[in-house]
Amino acid sequence: MDGRDLVRSMKSVGSVRAAQGLRTVRAAWRRRRADATGLPPRGPVRARVPGTVREVEPGLGGGLVRFGRSELRIFVAVNGAVFWGWDGAAPEPSYALAGRCPDPDPRAALEPDKDGGWRVVAERVTVVVSRYGAVEVLTPGGVMLRRDLPPRWWEPVGGGAAHWMQRSEVPADARFFGLGGPASGPRLRDGTYRLWNASPGRAGGPGDDPLSVPMPVQMVVADAGTHLVFYDSSWDGTVTLREGEEGAGSGHDRAGTSELRMEGGPLRCWVMVGAPARVLLAWTSLTGAPVLPPAWALGHHHTRGAFGSEEEVRRIVAEHREHELPLDAVHLGIDHFDARQAFTVDQERFPKLPVLADELRREGIRLVSVVGPVVGAAPGTTVYDEGVERDVFVRDASGEVVKGVGRAGEVVFPDFTHARVRAWWGDLYTERLAQGFAGFWHSMDEPTSFAAFGEPTLPRSARHALDGRGGDHREAHNVYGLCMARAAYEGLREQAPQERPFVFSRSGWAGMQRHGGAWSGGVMTGWPGVRAALSLVMGLGLCGVPYAGPDVGGFDGEASPELYLRGLQLGAYLPFFRTHGGARAGRGEPWEFGADVLGHARVALVERRRLLPYFMTLAYLARRTGAPYVRPLWWSAPEERALRDCEDAFLLGDCLLVAPVLAPGVKRRAVQLPRGRWYDTATGRAYDGPARVWADAPLGRIPVFARGGAVLPVRGEDGGPELEVWAPARGRTGGGLVVPDAGEGWEEPEIERYTVRWSGPRIVVEREGEDGGVEPSCPVRVRGVGTGGNQM
């Protein structure tokens, strides 16, 4: 029996009171004992490969290829995505899919290929299946994008879940991205990445993967084209990546490789091919459109290590107001709960929470509540007794309810993979809404329990409903947080149908964007933590989760003034922007770092508020197209190798390029610019790309560039809407989309399309209408023409 979990638990005894430490040790023993008796014993296994093709059964969009020891189902869907599944695996059921699997494309057909193989030819992709089971994805011109070698299974002789391995090859020049939110990125270097939702038990950073949101989703970018691949199995596994190497003229290239090893589950795969925007559109059509956050959720959020009372909340809000720091939401952590009960407020420290929430709302500030997946195992408390009566808690293989360790004692875990349990849990948010909360953040939903932070808390043998299929925690673990987010989102839709729900989670899986966003959890306080935060946001965006962000200020120590400010400046341009005050080891709010930092922080926060209409537009476009707010520089030009290797800058939509400072002492930094004209927004100086330029990065700001011809919706000085237009190069045109927010509800606003062109010495900005160009619907400010820009 492996005692590593027990050793980790014993290490935690010294950091908590003795009784809680002993409960943690006992919980570890129970977990190991449950697995020893509840999981099938390890025994001899038998290796298997597909064999050779025996017969083929063509079907709509593809067909069935039978081999000597396996069979392959393959088809092209109407959205252009390619599916294949081995051993009878079908696209459904799947926690990743938004609904039913898309229909096969009737234009695609399975037809013979050379050397005894078969192929499926579609509009944007050709898939070739060799006689031995290799699956090759080609461009319409016949250039290889990906080649999956014949898979291999290791099946227990006595029966049970089979381990499997899939090795793939990609072009020598290809670069790997994605895998959810890895701290080591955004470009994924050679190494092994685990696919198991986890908390490192402390603040995380590069080298601590896996973190809370790993996904078996890769985006691969090469000269030949871009493709996204998703292996739809929620079991524990690893991906080992190795970039290729070109032969430098010798012609002997070494292909890049990806080796996926899974502990079980179906071997089924989706592949989408095309430009990055087209790939994410197909992925979104498959896994669901990202939810649209309410407008206030795109502003500045703030939380602390602990808000000890209502008066402390009022004090922090008053400090923001006194220092003229914009604030849109305050987040309360576990300190506002009664330690013994879920969804119950501590009446001693927060006796009049609805009154506080109403006061803040009148000031334009929302209250957000943390929610964890645990319920205190305390007979006589409402939620626990109701849960026991309804049989909603996870049980082990022997039928006993599984217990973990919480702040005040033992806790139990709802089985969110059961529709009945999700409906029950979603109803519990009624109490939170009655207290005045406008949004919810899920923490420790990997799941882990408070006292055993960072450890697995449910035994792998624990039983789950898995929506009628039944199974154990080995399959349910990675989708546990996803199902919890679904329960919250659906409950809020029912209880407050007039408002868009705000839910974001620390843990999740493919498709989590349907229910909310993601946050990084505890990111380490340090420069590697700032870089890891950017990697997480960009990696999640390329996996279809556009609304994400870190805790600015770190988690595990005291940031220097420079580090705090640089993290704040980066966070101001990320989708989810939350500062974390009252850190464990010292300062956390801007005014605690001195007058200079406070002034610079005010500039960053005011700029974020000015850009809120632009963020709202990006949110609507993400919901409609799947395009992330934060995009790598190669987004529109993946064929540009210099952009593929750039990891220290990003595009914010189509209009802005942000170059954060990720190291100490930097006052000037190099910035790689894509093609086109770019303006330094601070100086107005124009640059023509592609180029590598040097930009000033004083302590008060980071370099930000605007694309020539861009149309940015912003807040004017009077608080009303305004268009900031950057002049295109002479002889060029520009334009953009603006989506005015229709409020907090579900009304669908009309997209405004603008064109920008030169007319003699002047810039003309027009809104597209039914009868041609019409006047813009709000004031326009043109920049990039002369000193200081022109008013029009």
Side-chain angles (χ1 to χ4, degrees), residues 480-616:
Y480 190 85
L482 169 74
C483 293
M484 179 181 175
R486 178 182 176 183
Y489 182 79
E490 292 176 349
L492 293 170
R493 281 295 304 266
E494 182 175 341
Q495 296 162 37
Q498 72 282 3
E499 297 182 3
R500 301 196 293 264
F502 176 64
V503 178
F504 68 105
S505 308
R506 190 172 78 178
S507 179
W509 202 62
M512 66 180 296
Q513 73 276 0
R514 300 191 299 268
H515 316 302
W519 65 295
S520 62
V523 172
M524 64 188 300
T525 302
W527 294 101
V530 177
R531 187 176 290 271
L534 176 58
S535 298
L536 174 133
V537 174
M538 198 173 297
L540 284 172
L542 294 176
C543 293
V545 186
Y547 184 77
D551 273 346
V552 173
F555 180 75
D556 62 337
E558 182 175 353
S560 68
E562 180 189 14
L563 174 62
Y564 176 84
L565 186 57
R566 293 309 195 187
L568 182 72
Q569 291 166 341
L570 167 62
Y573 292 96
L574 298 180
F576 173 60
F577 177 33
R578 184 171 79 171
T579 50
H580 191 286
R584 288 185 175 181
R587 301 174 293 186
E589 276 81 22
W591 51 86
E592 296 178 338
F593 290 91
D596 288 344
V597 170
L598 175 61
H600 297 324
R602 184 183 301 113
V603 170
L605 292 173
V606 168
E607 177 65 6
R608 172 59 176 240
R609 174 151 291 187
R610 191 181 77 92
L611 290 175
L612 281 181
Y614 183 51
F615 275 94
M616 197 73 251

Side-chain angles (χ1 to χ4, degrees), residues 329-512:
V330 173
H331 294 223
L332 300 186
I334 57 174
D335 51 289
H336 80 283
F337 281 124
D338 183 328
R340 296 176 68 245
Q341 302 191 60
F343 292 97
T344 304
V345 172
D346 186 330
Q347 293 297 323
E348 292 185 4
R349 289 180 294 170
F350 294 87
K352 298 180 179 179
L353 199 51
V355 175
L356 173 63
D358 186 61
E359 290 176 8
L360 295 181
R361 189 179 284 261
R362 288 199 297 269
E363 297 184 39
I365 300 171
R366 279 19 180 233
L367 267 186
V368 176
S369 170
V370 70
V371 177
V374 299
V375 174
T381 57
T382 303
V383 177
Y384 176 74
D385 288 348
E386 188 176 290
V388 170
E389 180 182 351
R390 297 186 180 216
D391 189 22
V392 303
F393 301 124
V394 175
R395 296 178 179 271
D396 61 22
S398 67
E400 295 294 322
V401 173
V402 177
K403 294 182 179 180
V405 181
R407 287 190 299 158
E410 292 183 320
V411 295
V412 290
F413 298 83
D415 182 7
F416 296 118
T417 69
H418 197 303
R420 174 175 54 82
V421 178
R422 289 195 296 269
W424 170 77
W425 185 264
D427 286 343
L428 296 179
Y429 286 77
T430 304
E431 190 275 345
R432 302 279 82 201
L433 294 175
Q435 294 291 335
F437 288 104
F440 305 92
W441 53 293
H442 291 173
S443 184
M444 295 186 285
D445 50 339
E446 289 81 16
T448 186
S449 57
F450 183 80
F453 186 67
E455 299 178 17
T457 54
L458 288 173
R460 291 182 175 234
S461 58
R463 305 300 299 173
H464 291 268
L466 291 170
D467 288 286
R469 292 182 290 114
D472 59 40
H473 195 63
R474 293 176 297 173
E475 184 176 0
H477 176 86
N478 280 338
V479 298
Y480 190 85
L482 169 74
C483 293
M484 179 181 175
R486 178 182 176 183
Y489 182 79
E490 292 176 349
L492 293 170
R493 281 295 304 266
E494 182 175 341
Q495 296 162 37
Q498 72 282 3
E499 297 182 3
R500 301 196 293 264
F502 176 64
V503 178
F504 68 105
S505 308
R506 190 172 78 178
S507 179
W509 202 62
M512 66 180 296

Side-chain angles (χ1 to χ4, degrees), residues 176 179 188-194 238-243 257-259:
F176 296 101
L179 293 185
L188 301 175
R189 297 309 207 277
D190 295 0
T192 298
Y193 301 83
R194 190 179 177 192
T238 60
V239 179
T240 301
L241 302 177
R242 184 185 182 191
E243 290 184 347
T257 60
S258 170
E259 184 176 282

Side-chain angles (χ1 to χ4, degrees), residues 730 757-764:
R730 286 282 183 174
R757 59 183 174 84
W758 284 94
S759 178
R762 302 182 70 236
I763 294 289
V764 176

